[in-house]
Amino acid sequence: MSPNALEAIQLSKSYNVDSRQITVLDRVSLTVPIGSFVVIEGKSGSGKSTLLSLLSGLDKPDSGKIRLCGTDITDLSEDELAPFRNRTIGYVFQSFHLVPSLTAFENIAFPAELNRDPQAAVKAKELLHRVDLSKRMNNFPHQLSGGEKQRIAICRALINSPQIIFADEPTGNLDSANGEIIMQLLLELRQELMTTLVLATHSREISSKADAIARLVDGRIATSSEKVNL
Amino acid sequence: MLHLRFILRQIAGSRNQAIIFVFCVALSLLILTALGGFSGSVRRSMLQDARQLHGADITIHSHYPFSEPLLKAIHDYEQQGIVQGALVNEFYSMARNPQSEKSILSDLKVVAKGYPFYGKVRLLSGREFSKVLSKGSIIVDQVLLDRLQAHIGNTLQIGSTLLTIVDVVTLEPDRPVSFFSFGPRIFIAAEDLERLDLIKKGSRIQFKYLLKVHDPALVDRLGEEFSAMTVPPQENVKTFKNADSRIKRFFENFLFFLSLIGMFTLVLAGIGIQTSLYAMLRESDYTIAIMKSVGATNRFITLHFMAMVMVLGTCGTLLGLILSSLLQLYFPTLFASILPANVTLTISWNVVFEGLVLGTIVVALFSFLPLLRIKNFKPAFIFRKEIEKSGGGILHYSAISIIILFFIGLVIWQLEDVKIGLYFILGLCTLIGLTALITEGLMLFMKKNTARSLVLRQSFRGLFRPGNATRAIIITLSASLAVIFSIYLIDHNLRATFIEAYPANLPNAYFLDIQPEQKTEFSTILGREAEFYPIVRARLASINNKPINRTQEREKRGDNMAREFNLTYRDFLLKDEQMLEGENLFGNRINALYSRGEVPVSVLDTVAENGDIKVGDLLIFKVLGLPLTARVTSIRTRTESKVRPFFYFVFQEKSLKDAPQTIFSSVRIDGEQLAIIQNTLAARLPNISVIDIGSTVEILAGMMHKMSSIIQFFTSFSIIAGLLIIISSIFATRMTRIREAVYFKILGAQSSFVVKVFTYENLIIALSSALLANLISHIGSWLVCRQLFNITYQPLLGSTAIMTAGVIVLVITVGLGASVSILRQKPIAYLRNERQD
Ligand SMILES: Nc1ncnc2c1ncn2[C@@H]1O[C@H](COP(=O)(O)OP(=O)(O)O)[C@@H](O)[C@H]1O
Ligand SMILES: [Mg+2]
């Protein structure tokens, strides 16, 4: 098996706006080794979210190929992708995206239950405990603060022990103190679970913690620097 | 200053809800016009032309030959050319076809020249009635030809004479519907009456003098004049203005019931209006909050939304008008079986106008609460996007009170009866309150529910999405289904009891008008045991010396106490009778009564209740004009209301044995036997009428079925209201549903999972509504069957299951239909637009 969690080759994506074509991604290639932490960096509107959505199979590229954890997902249908996503990928979004009709606990357990995991409840409780939110388990999302919501979202992303986590500006909607806590937590948990993490951000500070950085400029990856792992 | 563009943009912004709103308005208009059109048509064609229905300007009724002074007065006026008269006799008698050896009880109408004074009797041949009917000939119903296997040109034996069939009658102006008749019509010329030899002592023949008054201004005066000359209570004068036929009363009752159903549906449509408007305003929350935060006054905003409601209301009205004119095309098919073919079914402008006014009021009332919400809405909403509990405040509650008061007023106005109006409202409130209560319980259970299956758990959760009108849906659906189910259950239970399983031990043939001297011969012909009941016909003149008020009695919805009663005598209880009050039938002080010139009488509880008669009351009857003073000594009740002969007033033999009387007999005769006996009787004792209860009951059941299908038609409007609320609710929660669907998909659920969650959600709604409807309708129908009709109740489980399944399929189909676009939503497109939780 390939030592890479993710291989993207020559990805292009453009949108039609008022009959004008805007190319957001132009033949972008990217490789993420298993267990590494890769940051996709760029200004707002540079195409980070678009790239993440392609890499994670939420959207389809106009051209190019994506291999995710050994599977070519480029041509998989929505319903073929769903169970794959459930078991292989975890997501953390800038705006949390918790299911409003479910409690914190239920939100976390949900992916595991979809996967018919008999341990769903146990795992969810463990994770809740891990992020210090056991007391809030029966609260609904609108009863939680932004930082709490994001901690729940991280637990949800991790419950099925995914091989790769995609995080799109996870601290973007949080103040700096809360942002820091979230980053810390995300990195710790990733370490514990030995999960690959692909994270989009415009913050240099976060980038500095990454194993590798891909910088998006004008729809292309300008630099791809690699840091030495300590 | 109103910004039209703003209003239009708001409508476009929540177009789904706007459409629902429009449909609900259209629906309420449709109900009002459909009902109004139907009752209007019935009234216009059958009831309004009172003169035609009456057949004359003045009629004088009696069950006996007219008294001399009256006849003389009529003849005098006839000679002066002021009135023109025609004598009509109506009675039942057997008609027998000697060729086919078949006979049938027929509804005879012996008419003199001149009949009918108004309207036309239509004949199959198209010829003029008065030219066709002459001495020795008869004109008959098609049904009679079919049943007797006779043809035009054949002769029939009626009474003791033979008459030739010359034509077939298709329409009688003074009898627009014939389902009240026990037998088919035969028209006979007055010249043949004597030859029939059917007018015997005590037999029930109706004498009717039709009078045409040449100067319309004289009608009332002459009516009063003749009235003064009559022998009360047996002779009775009516003018076409104050007449009240049985048909009319029946239809008034039926239309009355329909208008109840209409009110009910109107309330549900109103709930739909309210639900969709709430949803529309909720979609505009953000806009409203921003407008308020930049300083727009409540007045300003409310005015705009009011204008929006007006625009939509107008659209709904137009749509309603279009739909009602389409419905009109369907009317004839729907009502053909119950109304005669010539009845024109149209919706008049009056009805449309009335509908418009009422519709507007309904829209205004039900829009009020949602609009009130604007006022209480805090601009801080911009910062905290959470669901605020609406309601509270004096205005809120007074708005609700106004709605309730308006409906009470409307109901009373429509029903023209305060007491029944209040009963109806009470019933409606109980129904809705009960459903609301049980729904509340169900919802509590659902909220607590922790189903094993993930899909099921999600579906339960879904029911409580903010903006979901789950409660309103279940209440509306179950209340309307309960009504429809109940009508079905009662209808079918009655059929099951009286038709499909006509009890084997009950008499199925009644013999009327047996003359006492014919009893032996009759028994020989019958050749079996039979029950005999003597009958003396009489009218009740007064209760405790308070005269029976004829006009009042006619208007009463219950039994008419002024009608002619059948008195009987015996000194024992019938098998199905019980004493309710009093130790025995005639009490213990019989001699004391007789010494005062009074006779004891036992009264059946139903008539006692109807006439407010109690033990010890004094009843004065008129038997052939002679008074009979009776003291009520006991009250009886019947243990089961099967088709079994019963008598309101039972006397001692010695009180009645000298009065003119006939004998009534009831027998159980199965199969062909009855036809044979019928035929022999028709040949040998033609004055005896035979009523085949089995087939009569069948006719009644057929009629009942037609009624119930019309009721169900009008009730189905309320189901539409329920479905509209479902659609509105799904649209209202569209964003939440899309969000859920998207999240589920991102987290790895396949689209089938999402479809399942939505389907189960609707399944839960459908099941709860059906369950509730079943519960209420079964309890209600059981009560009606046991308490009102005294028949055993069958739950009709098969039909119940089918109806329940039908509801489920309907709700799920509608629900999925409304969710299609939600299910198609691509996750990525949603995520891009969604910025904040
Ligand atoms: N569905 C779309 N239609 C048109 N333009 C889009 C669409 N999605 C993204 N874009 C454009 O693509 C560019 C990149 O967007 P995005 O990936 O969200 O950037 P980032 O996440 O780096 O801020 C932006 O200019 C955005 O306007
Ligand atoms: Mg982005």
Short mmCIF file of all heavy atoms in Angstrom, two decimals, chain B residues 384-427:
data_model
loop_
_atom_site.label_atom_id
_atom_site.label_comp_id
_atom_site.label_asym_id
_atom_site.label_seq_id
_atom_site.Cartn_x
_atom_site.Cartn_y
_atom_site.Cartn_z
N ARG B 384 -29.01 37.01 18.33
CA ARG B 384 -29.27 35.67 18.88
C ARG B 384 -30.33 35.01 18.03
O ARG B 384 -31.50 35.36 18.09
CB ARG B 384 -29.83 35.78 20.31
CG ARG B 384 -28.85 36.30 21.30
CD ARG B 384 -29.54 36.22 22.66
NE ARG B 384 -28.70 35.57 23.64
CZ ARG B 384 -28.53 34.27 23.74
NH1 ARG B 384 -29.13 33.46 22.92
NH2 ARG B 384 -27.77 33.78 24.67
N LYS B 385 -29.91 34.07 17.27
CA LYS B 385 -30.88 33.44 16.37
C LYS B 385 -31.50 32.26 17.09
O LYS B 385 -31.13 31.12 16.87
CB LYS B 385 -30.15 32.96 15.12
CG LYS B 385 -30.79 33.45 13.85
CD LYS B 385 -30.15 32.77 12.66
CE LYS B 385 -30.80 33.18 11.38
NZ LYS B 385 -30.15 32.58 10.23
N GLU B 386 -32.36 32.52 17.97
CA GLU B 386 -33.02 31.37 18.58
C GLU B 386 -34.53 31.54 18.57
O GLU B 386 -35.05 32.62 18.36
CB GLU B 386 -32.50 31.10 19.99
CG GLU B 386 -32.63 32.29 20.90
CD GLU B 386 -32.04 31.96 22.25
OE1 GLU B 386 -30.80 31.82 22.38
OE2 GLU B 386 -32.84 31.85 23.17
N ILE B 387 -35.19 30.43 18.76
CA ILE B 387 -36.64 30.43 18.63
C ILE B 387 -37.24 31.08 19.85
O ILE B 387 -37.04 30.64 20.96
CB ILE B 387 -37.20 29.00 18.54
CG1 ILE B 387 -36.11 28.05 18.08
CG2 ILE B 387 -38.43 28.92 17.70
CD1 ILE B 387 -35.56 27.21 19.19
N GLU B 388 -37.97 32.15 19.61
CA GLU B 388 -38.62 32.80 20.73
C GLU B 388 -39.99 32.21 20.94
O GLU B 388 -40.68 31.85 20.00
CB GLU B 388 -38.78 34.30 20.42
CG GLU B 388 -37.54 35.10 20.72
CD GLU B 388 -37.75 36.53 20.33
OE1 GLU B 388 -38.54 37.20 20.99
OE2 GLU B 388 -37.12 36.95 19.35
N LYS B 389 -40.35 32.12 22.16
CA LYS B 389 -41.72 31.66 22.45
C LYS B 389 -42.65 32.84 22.14
O LYS B 389 -42.55 33.89 22.75
CB LYS B 389 -41.85 31.25 23.92
CG LYS B 389 -41.43 29.82 24.14
CD LYS B 389 -42.67 28.92 24.24
CE LYS B 389 -42.35 27.45 24.07
NZ LYS B 389 -42.35 26.99 22.69
N SER B 390 -43.54 32.61 21.19
CA SER B 390 -44.48 33.68 20.89
C SER B 390 -45.68 33.52 21.82
O SER B 390 -45.81 32.55 22.54
CB SER B 390 -44.93 33.61 19.44
OG SER B 390 -45.55 32.37 19.21
N GLY B 391 -46.55 34.49 21.78
CA GLY B 391 -47.76 34.38 22.59
C GLY B 391 -47.69 35.21 23.83
O GLY B 391 -46.71 35.92 24.08
N GLY B 392 -48.76 35.12 24.63
CA GLY B 392 -48.82 35.92 25.83
C GLY B 392 -49.36 37.29 25.51
O GLY B 392 -49.52 37.69 24.36
N GLY B 393 -49.68 38.03 26.55
CA GLY B 393 -50.17 39.38 26.35
C GLY B 393 -51.66 39.42 26.16
O GLY B 393 -52.27 38.46 25.68
N ILE B 394 -52.23 40.55 26.56
CA ILE B 394 -53.68 40.70 26.49
C ILE B 394 -54.16 40.60 25.05
O ILE B 394 -55.13 39.94 24.74
CB ILE B 394 -54.11 42.07 27.08
CG1 ILE B 394 -53.75 42.09 28.57
CG2 ILE B 394 -55.60 42.30 26.89
CD1 ILE B 394 -53.98 43.44 29.21
N LEU B 395 -53.40 41.26 24.16
CA LEU B 395 -53.80 41.29 22.75
C LEU B 395 -53.90 39.88 22.19
O LEU B 395 -54.82 39.54 21.46
CB LEU B 395 -52.80 42.10 21.95
CG LEU B 395 -53.43 43.23 21.14
CD1 LEU B 395 -54.01 44.28 22.07
CD2 LEU B 395 -52.42 43.84 20.20
N HIS B 396 -52.91 39.07 22.55
CA HIS B 396 -52.87 37.70 22.06
C HIS B 396 -54.14 36.94 22.45
O HIS B 396 -54.80 36.34 21.62
CB HIS B 396 -51.63 37.02 22.64
CG HIS B 396 -51.45 35.61 22.19
ND1 HIS B 396 -50.85 35.30 21.00
CD2 HIS B 396 -51.83 34.45 22.76
CE1 HIS B 396 -50.84 34.00 20.86
NE2 HIS B 396 -51.42 33.45 21.91
N TYR B 397 -54.44 37.05 23.75
CA TYR B 397 -55.60 36.29 24.21
C TYR B 397 -56.91 36.88 23.71
O TYR B 397 -57.85 36.15 23.42
CB TYR B 397 -55.58 36.17 25.74
CG TYR B 397 -54.47 35.27 26.18
CD1 TYR B 397 -53.36 35.76 26.85
CD2 TYR B 397 -54.49 33.91 25.85
CE1 TYR B 397 -52.31 34.93 27.21
CE2 TYR B 397 -53.45 33.08 26.19
CZ TYR B 397 -52.37 33.60 26.88
OH TYR B 397 -51.33 32.77 27.21
N SER B 398 -56.94 38.22 23.61
CA SER B 398 -58.21 38.76 23.12
C SER B 398 -58.39 38.39 21.65
O SER B 398 -59.52 38.19 21.19
CB SER B 398 -58.29 40.27 23.32
OG SER B 398 -57.05 40.88 23.11
N ALA B 399 -57.28 38.26 20.91
CA ALA B 399 -57.40 37.84 19.52
C ALA B 399 -58.02 36.45 19.45
O ALA B 399 -58.93 36.19 18.66
CB ALA B 399 -56.03 37.83 18.85
N ILE B 400 -57.52 35.56 20.31
CA ILE B 400 -58.06 34.20 20.32
C ILE B 400 -59.54 34.23 20.70
O ILE B 400 -60.37 33.56 20.07
CB ILE B 400 -57.26 33.32 21.30
CG1 ILE B 400 -55.84 33.16 20.75
CG2 ILE B 400 -57.93 31.97 21.48
CD1 ILE B 400 -54.92 32.38 21.65
N SER B 401 -59.88 35.05 21.69
CA SER B 401 -61.29 35.13 22.09
C SER B 401 -62.15 35.62 20.95
O SER B 401 -63.26 35.14 20.73
CB SER B 401 -61.47 36.06 23.28
OG SER B 401 -60.38 35.99 24.12
N ILE B 402 -61.61 36.61 20.20
CA ILE B 402 -62.40 37.14 19.09
C ILE B 402 -62.65 36.05 18.06
O ILE B 402 -63.77 35.89 17.56
CB ILE B 402 -61.69 38.35 18.45
CG1 ILE B 402 -61.76 39.54 19.40
CG2 ILE B 402 -62.34 38.72 17.12
CD1 ILE B 402 -60.99 40.74 18.94
N ILE B 403 -61.62 35.26 17.76
CA ILE B 403 -61.79 34.17 16.80
C ILE B 403 -62.89 33.24 17.28
O ILE B 403 -63.80 32.89 16.54
CB ILE B 403 -60.48 33.38 16.63
CG1 ILE B 403 -59.45 34.27 15.95
CG2 ILE B 403 -60.72 32.12 15.82
CD1 ILE B 403 -58.15 33.59 15.65
N ILE B 404 -62.81 32.86 18.55
CA ILE B 404 -63.80 31.93 19.08
C ILE B 404 -65.20 32.54 19.03
O ILE B 404 -66.15 31.93 18.55
CB ILE B 404 -63.43 31.51 20.51
CG1 ILE B 404 -62.14 30.69 20.47
CG2 ILE B 404 -64.55 30.69 21.14
CD1 ILE B 404 -61.56 30.38 21.82
N LEU B 405 -65.29 33.80 19.46
CA LEU B 405 -66.59 34.47 19.45
C LEU B 405 -67.15 34.57 18.04
O LEU B 405 -68.33 34.31 17.80
CB LEU B 405 -66.47 35.87 20.05
CG LEU B 405 -66.43 35.90 21.57
CD1 LEU B 405 -66.27 37.33 22.07
CD2 LEU B 405 -67.70 35.27 22.15
N PHE B 406 -66.27 34.91 17.10
CA PHE B 406 -66.72 35.02 15.72
C PHE B 406 -67.30 33.70 15.26
O PHE B 406 -68.37 33.65 14.64
CB PHE B 406 -65.56 35.42 14.81
CG PHE B 406 -65.87 35.26 13.36
CD1 PHE B 406 -66.69 36.17 12.71
CD2 PHE B 406 -65.36 34.19 12.63
CE1 PHE B 406 -66.99 36.02 11.37
CE2 PHE B 406 -65.65 34.04 11.30
CZ PHE B 406 -66.47 34.96 10.66
N PHE B 407 -66.62 32.60 15.58
CA PHE B 407 -67.12 31.32 15.09
C PHE B 407 -68.42 30.94 15.77
O PHE B 407 -69.31 30.38 15.13
CB PHE B 407 -66.06 30.23 15.23
CG PHE B 407 -65.29 30.10 13.97
CD1 PHE B 407 -64.12 30.81 13.78
CD2 PHE B 407 -65.78 29.35 12.92
CE1 PHE B 407 -63.44 30.74 12.59
CE2 PHE B 407 -65.11 29.27 11.72
CZ PHE B 407 -63.93 29.97 11.56
N ILE B 408 -68.52 31.26 17.04
CA ILE B 408 -69.79 30.98 17.70
C ILE B 408 -70.90 31.75 16.99
O ILE B 408 -71.94 31.19 16.63
CB ILE B 408 -69.73 31.39 19.20
CG1 ILE B 408 -68.74 30.48 19.91
CG2 ILE B 408 -71.12 31.26 19.83
CD1 ILE B 408 -68.55 30.81 21.37
N GLY B 409 -70.63 33.02 16.71
CA GLY B 409 -71.62 33.84 16.01
C GLY B 409 -71.95 33.26 14.65
O GLY B 409 -73.11 33.11 14.28
N LEU B 410 -70.90 32.89 13.93
CA LEU B 410 -71.07 32.36 12.57
C LEU B 410 -71.91 31.09 12.60
O LEU B 410 -72.84 30.91 11.80
CB LEU B 410 -69.70 32.09 11.97
CG LEU B 410 -69.69 31.69 10.50
CD1 LEU B 410 -70.19 32.84 9.65
CD2 LEU B 410 -68.28 31.30 10.07
N VAL B 411 -71.54 30.22 13.53
CA VAL B 411 -72.25 28.95 13.62
C VAL B 411 -73.72 29.20 13.93
O VAL B 411 -74.62 28.66 13.27
CB VAL B 411 -71.62 28.06 14.70
CG1 VAL B 411 -72.52 26.90 15.04
CG2 VAL B 411 -70.28 27.55 14.22
N ILE B 412 -73.97 30.07 14.90
CA ILE B 412 -75.35 30.32 15.27
C ILE B 412 -76.11 30.95 14.10
O ILE B 412 -77.24 30.58 13.80
CB ILE B 412 -75.41 31.21 16.52
CG1 ILE B 412 -74.91 30.40 17.72
CG2 ILE B 412 -76.83 31.70 16.78
CD1 ILE B 412 -74.73 31.20 18.97
N TRP B 413 -75.44 31.84 13.40
CA TRP B 413 -76.08 32.48 12.26
C TRP B 413 -76.39 31.47 11.16
O TRP B 413 -77.48 31.43 10.60
CB TRP B 413 -75.19 33.60 11.73
CG TRP B 413 -75.70 34.21 10.47
CD1 TRP B 413 -76.84 34.93 10.32
CD2 TRP B 413 -75.09 34.13 9.18
NE1 TRP B 413 -76.98 35.31 9.00
CE2 TRP B 413 -75.91 34.84 8.29
CE3 TRP B 413 -73.92 33.54 8.69
CZ2 TRP B 413 -75.61 34.96 6.94
CZ3 TRP B 413 -73.62 33.68 7.36
CH2 TRP B 413 -74.45 34.38 6.49
N GLN B 414 -75.41 30.63 10.88
CA GLN B 414 -75.59 29.65 9.82
C GLN B 414 -76.64 28.61 10.20
O GLN B 414 -77.40 28.15 9.36
CB GLN B 414 -74.27 28.92 9.55
CG GLN B 414 -73.31 29.73 8.73
CD GLN B 414 -73.33 29.31 7.27
OE1 GLN B 414 -73.35 28.13 6.98
NE2 GLN B 414 -73.38 30.27 6.39
N LEU B 415 -76.62 28.22 11.44
CA LEU B 415 -77.50 27.14 11.86
C LEU B 415 -78.85 27.67 12.29
O LEU B 415 -79.78 26.91 12.47
CB LEU B 415 -76.85 26.36 13.00
CG LEU B 415 -75.44 25.87 12.70
CD1 LEU B 415 -74.93 25.01 13.85
CD2 LEU B 415 -75.39 25.07 11.42
N GLU B 416 -78.94 28.95 12.44
CA GLU B 416 -80.20 29.59 12.80
C GLU B 416 -80.80 28.99 14.06
O GLU B 416 -82.01 28.87 14.20
CB GLU B 416 -81.20 29.50 11.64
CG GLU B 416 -80.75 30.28 10.42
CD GLU B 416 -81.43 29.81 9.16
OE1 GLU B 416 -82.35 28.98 9.27
OE2 GLU B 416 -81.03 30.26 8.09
N ASP B 417 -79.96 28.55 14.94
CA ASP B 417 -80.48 27.92 16.15
C ASP B 417 -79.43 28.04 17.24
O ASP B 417 -78.36 27.44 17.15
CB ASP B 417 -80.80 26.45 15.86
CG ASP B 417 -81.54 25.79 17.02
OD1 ASP B 417 -81.31 26.19 18.18
OD2 ASP B 417 -82.34 24.89 16.75
N VAL B 418 -79.71 28.84 18.24
CA VAL B 418 -78.71 29.14 19.26
C VAL B 418 -78.29 27.89 20.01
O VAL B 418 -77.10 27.59 20.15
CB VAL B 418 -79.24 30.18 20.26
CG1 VAL B 418 -78.20 30.43 21.35
CG2 VAL B 418 -79.59 31.47 19.55
N LYS B 419 -79.28 27.10 20.42
CA LYS B 419 -78.96 25.97 21.30
C LYS B 419 -78.10 24.96 20.54
O LYS B 419 -77.06 24.54 21.04
CB LYS B 419 -80.26 25.32 21.79
CG LYS B 419 -80.07 24.54 23.08
CD LYS B 419 -81.41 24.19 23.70
CE LYS B 419 -81.54 22.70 23.81
NZ LYS B 419 -82.88 22.23 24.06
N ILE B 420 -78.57 24.61 19.35
CA ILE B 420 -77.82 23.61 18.59
C ILE B 420 -76.47 24.17 18.19
O ILE B 420 -75.46 23.46 18.19
CB ILE B 420 -78.64 23.15 17.38
CG1 ILE B 420 -79.85 22.39 17.91
CG2 ILE B 420 -77.81 22.28 16.46
CD1 ILE B 420 -80.72 21.80 16.88
N GLY B 421 -76.43 25.48 17.89
CA GLY B 421 -75.17 26.11 17.57
C GLY B 421 -74.17 25.96 18.71
O GLY B 421 -73.03 25.58 18.50
N LEU B 422 -74.65 26.20 19.91
CA LEU B 422 -73.77 26.08 21.07
C LEU B 422 -73.35 24.63 21.29
O LEU B 422 -72.20 24.35 21.59
CB LEU B 422 -74.46 26.64 22.32
CG LEU B 422 -74.59 28.17 22.33
CD1 LEU B 422 -75.37 28.62 23.55
CD2 LEU B 422 -73.23 28.83 22.29
N TYR B 423 -74.30 23.72 21.09
CA TYR B 423 -73.96 22.30 21.21
C TYR B 423 -72.86 21.93 20.24
O TYR B 423 -71.91 21.23 20.55
CB TYR B 423 -75.18 21.42 20.91
CG TYR B 423 -76.06 21.19 22.11
CD1 TYR B 423 -77.44 21.06 21.97
CD2 TYR B 423 -75.52 21.10 23.39
CE1 TYR B 423 -78.26 20.86 23.06
CE2 TYR B 423 -76.33 20.90 24.49
CZ TYR B 423 -77.70 20.78 24.32
OH TYR B 423 -78.50 20.58 25.40
N PHE B 424 -73.04 22.45 19.02
CA PHE B 424 -72.06 22.15 17.98
C PHE B 424 -70.68 22.64 18.37
O PHE B 424 -69.69 21.93 18.28
CB PHE B 424 -72.49 22.77 16.66
CG PHE B 424 -71.43 22.71 15.60
CD1 PHE B 424 -71.07 21.50 15.04
CD2 PHE B 424 -70.78 23.86 15.18
CE1 PHE B 424 -70.09 21.43 14.08
CE2 PHE B 424 -69.80 23.79 14.22
CZ PHE B 424 -69.45 22.58 13.66
N ILE B 425 -70.66 23.89 18.85
CA ILE B 425 -69.37 24.46 19.25
C ILE B 425 -68.77 23.66 20.38
O ILE B 425 -67.58 23.35 20.39
CB ILE B 425 -69.57 25.92 19.68
CG1 ILE B 425 -70.20 26.66 18.53
CG2 ILE B 425 -68.27 26.52 20.16
CD1 ILE B 425 -69.63 27.97 18.20
N LEU B 426 -69.64 23.27 21.30
CA LEU B 426 -69.17 22.48 22.42
C LEU B 426 -68.57 21.17 21.91
O LEU B 426 -67.49 20.75 22.32
CB LEU B 426 -70.34 22.19 23.37
CG LEU B 426 -69.96 21.93 24.81
CD1 LEU B 426 -69.49 23.20 25.47
CD2 LEU B 426 -71.14 21.32 25.55
N GLY B 427 -69.30 20.55 20.98
CA GLY B 427 -68.82 19.30 20.39
C GLY B 427 -67.51 19.50 19.67
O GLY B 427 -66.57 18.72 19.84
#
